[in-house]
Amino acid sequence: MKTNVERKTAILAVSFGTSHNDTREVTIDAIEEALKNACPNASLYRAWTSKMIIKKVNARDNVHIMTVSEAMEQMKQDGITNVLVQPTHVINGIENDLMKEDALAYKDSFAIGSLENGRYNPSILLSKSNKVIEILANEFSWLNKKQALVFMGHGTTHFSNSIYAALDYAFKDKGHPNIFLATVEAYPSIDSLKRLVDAYKPEEIVLAPFMIVAGDHAKNDMAGDDPDSWYNKFKAAGYKVTPILKGLGEYRGIQELFVEHLKTIEQ
């Protein structure tokens, strides 16, 4: 690890990625802009962790989005000495573990975040889950008691998946009995969630993604035309359903929360 007194600092913004440019522009791009504005003297580099999405976007749009390892190599070539790694991941799951592994492979080439202090824990979104609850409750303060807000999280086989059920409970513990959270690929499932929503007896369901971007899952699994989409499952149950295709990264409060995380590791 370099110990130069004068360092050349860069921010490495790491996202899962998306092939939907419309949502990327107002989520990932917006978060990266907020990070850059918060640290104007630092260069900003982008890396995505989904190699499948990288391959698709690179071929379709004729661009080159880097993996974490490629970005670390590029920064090394560019003379960067201090790297502030800031993921836009929601939970500390598989993608975040892989990101940390790839970044730490370069621990002898850079000062990485707060590694010099004997730890390396780049903050994911739910590092401050109570703050996330506050931000989203404020964003949806227009809800009335006859409406239920249903968030769709991604879900994972990683043990960190338990945070989704905990967060669903926390929304209610914080005084929001009409806010629910389930996942598209794990537990709580739509079937588990629907039983809880039915018990609340709302007149209308508002669907929103609990993901940084409003991509495939939001457009298809949540709000799509397929009979198994969350939209159609609630419609079939007799509810009025209103989908909101707005990723978490589009909310200004969420962008500012990532900036707070960055400032923590910058110190």
Side-chain angles (χ1 to χ4, degrees):
M1 181 173 62
K2 295 185 178 182
T3 56
N4 307 48
V5 174
E6 291 187 7
R7 291 178 176 171
K8 188 175 179 182
T9 299
I11 303 162
L12 177 58
V14 183
S15 302
F16 179 79
T18 180
S19 61
H20 295 258
N21 290 339
D22 55 344
T23 187
R24 189 212 71 236
E25 291 172 358
V26 293
T27 56
I28 294 174
D29 290 5
I31 293 169
E32 290 175 353
E33 183 178 1
L35 296 176
K36 176 60 179 171
N37 289 340
C39 299
N41 294 325
S43 303
L44 188 137
Y45 292 74
R46 164 184 288 177
W48 289 1
T49 56
S50 173
K51 291 181 173 62
M52 180 180 69
I53 292 178
I54 287 175
K55 183 178 180 180
K56 179 178 179 179
V57 173
N58 286 355
R60 185 194 67 195
D61 299 342
N62 194 28
V63 298
H64 183 68
I65 296 170
M66 295 182 285
T67 64
V68 173
S69 295
E70 288 174 337
M72 299 299 278
E73 284 289 346
Q74 185 63 57
M75 288 186 287
K76 188 176 177 180
Q77 292 178 25
D78 293 345
I80 300 298
T81 57
N82 188 40
V83 181
L84 305 174
V85 181
Q86 180 55 61
T88 68
H89 299 146
V90 175
I91 67 173
N92 189 23
I94 296 169
E95 300 295 325
N96 216 56
D97 284 347
L98 292 173
M99 177 201 72
K100 287 186 282 188
E101 182 180 324
D102 288 344
L104 284 176
Y106 289 83
K107 64 183 179 182
D108 294 329
S109 301
F110 303 99
I112 304 176
S114 54
L115 187 64
E116 298 130 308
N117 299 325
R119 59 188 178 85
Y120 176 61
N121 289 304
S123 296
I124 43 87
L125 179 62
L126 290 180
S127 294
K128 295 182 178 179
S129 57
N130 286 338
K131 183 67 175 178
V132 173
I133 290 173
E134 179 185 335
I135 291 168
L136 294 178
N138 286 337
E139 288 286 349
F140 289 91
S141 60
W142 49 266
L143 287 171
N144 61 53
K145 293 181 179 180
K146 295 181 179 180
Q147 296 171 304
L149 172 61
V150 174
F151 280 117
M152 173 188 272
H154 190 280
T156 176
T157 55
H158 194 276
F159 64 83
S160 60
N161 188 77
S162 59
I163 197 168
Y164 289 110
L167 202 63
D168 176 83
Y169 179 91
F171 270 113
K172 295 164 183 58
D173 186 51
K174 297 291 183 181
H176 310 290
N178 59 337
I179 299 181
F180 300 82
L181 173 62
T183 71
V184 68
E185 293 192 358
Y187 181 86
S189 67
I190 178 60
D191 295 325
S192 302
L193 174 95
K194 190 174 174 303
R195 288 193 293 271
L196 297 174
V197 172
D198 289 343
Y200 181 77
K201 299 180 180 179
E203 294 179 1
E204 180 183 358
I205 306 294
V206 177
L207 297 174
F210 196 83
M211 307 175 198
I212 295 300
V213 303
D216 277 332
H217 285 306
K219 293 175 181 177
N220 298 315
D221 297 304
M222 188 189 81
D225 296 329
D226 190 280
D228 288 331
S229 73
W230 288 23
Y231 174 82
N232 280 320
K233 282 195 172 185
F234 280 114
K235 285 280 285 186
Y239 293 107
K240 176 184 176 183
V241 187
T242 303
I244 296 177
L245 291 172
K246 187 174 182 178
L248 295 179
E250 198 168 340
Y251 298 112
R252 184 61 187 166
I254 297 296
Q255 297 167 15
E256 291 172 353
L257 189 53
F258 280 120
V259 169
E260 286 182 29
H261 291 327
L262 178 67
K263 287 186 174 297
T264 298
I265 62 172
E266 184 187 19
Q267 295 173 355

